[in-house]
Amino acid sequence: MLARTLNGHTAQQIVREAFPGSQLQQRPPTTIKVLIADQAPSVVMSGQTVLRLVDEGRKGATGTLVPIGHRIIVQRSRTAFTVTDLDQPGARPSMMRGPVRMDSGDAETGIRMATPLDRRFRGTLRVTKSDGLKVAVVNQTTTEDYIRGVLAGDMPPEWGDRAPVALVVGAVAARSRALAAVATRKGAFNVTSDDPLYLGLDGERPQTNAAVDGSTGWTVTLANHPFEASFPVIPGDVTVFAPTLGAPDQVAAGPNTRVPGWRPGLGGAAVQMTMGFRGTPYRWGGSKPGGFDCSGLLYFVYGKLGMRLPRVAEDQAHVGTYVPWANLLPGDAVFFADSSGYIHHMGLYIGGGKMVHAPQTGDVVKVSAITTGHYAEQFAGGRRYSP
């Protein structure tokens, strides 16, 4: 399936052009944990097949079987969980230490969570404690089944009839993003159901499922690690991708590294601090609040956050992790190159297709769009210093 073409491009070519410096590797299946509900007063679950209910708080517990169609409600008490079969006449609540897990095994119909969402999910639903006496629900499933629940919301399923390779590339990108999350987020959950939108079993469509099955395991990697790929979609254009302009290889070529003083989650703080310097005069070679040049601005801001960036733009383009246009997040450094590949400018991405930057002599630190004009034409990629 990966060898099929779209407007003369194979899936491999599309991935290579959309994500310069990346490789395609086939990765084995793994498990992903998706937070699908939080701060819920209760959870009601049922199945079209026999399900298994397990109290994970009891070591060695094998669980009990839940009859077809029986609705099980899970609520919090102050010290544990109360679990009741709503369709068993005279049933008394059971006390479970928790977390409480409902398992559908290999059932194609999965588990229906009627409350707080009316939606079906493959795999297991794990009910855990949340704030107060509320609960959270995590869907634990395979990465392939997760992508099935994501892809139809990411891309129009009807493309499977006109341009099936487009959906295949979308599946590869979604898988890469999911595996990157599994590798970097090791807590109670790896991803939420909001971004990208995850609809579980009820979100699946035959065309997008075919794309997942036709690309099993194929993943975009950088430096042998899954890459947070988010495939660019151009409305009305079934080619699905647009080559990045400028000279992206100059930014993509550097290895993925950790900047000294690296800590996760600093992007928002970097944006907030940098926005506070709007109106500061441009000063060539400046890296202090009295005046900044383009790289001096990021050097100062991330330095205040405890990170030691190189001083000049060309060197800043070769540390951290490469980020293409489609994956930019607030706090990423964005770079611009002329036709020769020379990186002549940079800024800090703030979201919405805009950056805050120190443009040139006679100007001041300000916000500019990077989606139009010469900044769009010369965009050469981004770097993320704090994931």
Side-chain angles (χ1 to χ4, degrees), residues 41-272:
S42 63
V43 180
V44 177
M45 300 172 285
S46 65
Q48 293 176 257
T49 60
V50 174
L51 305 177
R52 183 174 293 276
L53 182 67
V54 181
D55 181 359
E56 293 187 355
R58 296 187 181 278
K59 188 175 181 179
T62 59
T64 58
L65 298 182
V66 177
I68 295 173
H70 278 223
R71 295 166 299 152
I72 303 297
I73 184 170
V74 181
Q75 298 169 296
R76 281 281 307 281
S77 69
R78 292 197 177 276
T79 59
F81 295 84
T82 60
V83 181
T84 309
D85 186 337
L86 297 176
D87 294 294
Q88 181 67 44
R92 297 175 62 111
S94 299
M95 300 301 295
M96 293 190 176
R97 296 175 183 174
V100 177
R101 186 179 79 243
M102 187 75 87
D103 191 347
S104 67
D106 296 327
E108 286 296 314
T109 51
I111 305 168
R112 177 172 174 258
M113 184 170 71
T115 302
L117 302 171
D118 189 4
R119 195 171 296 160
R120 295 180 302 156
F121 298 92
R122 297 182 186 272
T124 69
L125 296 182
R126 190 168 183 262
V127 184
T128 65
K129 294 179 181 179
S130 187
D131 294 336
L133 292 179
K134 303 294 180 65
V135 298
V137 187
V138 173
N139 177 209
Q140 186 166 300
T141 188
T142 67
T143 47
E144 299 302 302
D145 284 341
Y146 168 72
I147 298 163
R148 288 183 177 91
V150 163
L151 191 57
D154 262 3
M155 306 179 73
E158 60 269 19
W159 283 2
D161 302 322
R162 296 184 290 137
V165 76
L167 295 187
V168 170
V169 177
V172 172
R175 181 179 298 106
S176 308
R177 187 169 63 234
L179 290 178
V182 170
T184 57
R185 302 166 196 164
K186 303 285 191 181
F189 60 90
N190 307 123
V191 296
T192 70
S193 59
D194 297 328
D195 185 19
L197 182 63
Y198 172 60
L199 299 176
L201 182 55
D202 289 332
E204 297 181 17
R205 297 295 181 269
Q207 302 98 318
T208 47
N209 279 1
V212 175
D213 294 337
S215 64
T216 303
W218 286 104
T219 305
V220 183
T221 64
L222 280 174
N224 206 37
H225 296 288
F227 178 58
E228 291 187 20
S230 181
F231 214 76
V233 176
I234 303 170
D237 184 352
V238 297
T239 62
V240 196
F241 93 103
T244 307
L245 300 172
D249 288 343
Q250 297 298 102
V251 178
N256 291 340
T257 64
R258 288 188 175 182
V259 177
W262 167 92
R263 300 198 320 274
L266 296 181
V271 169
Q272 184 175 8

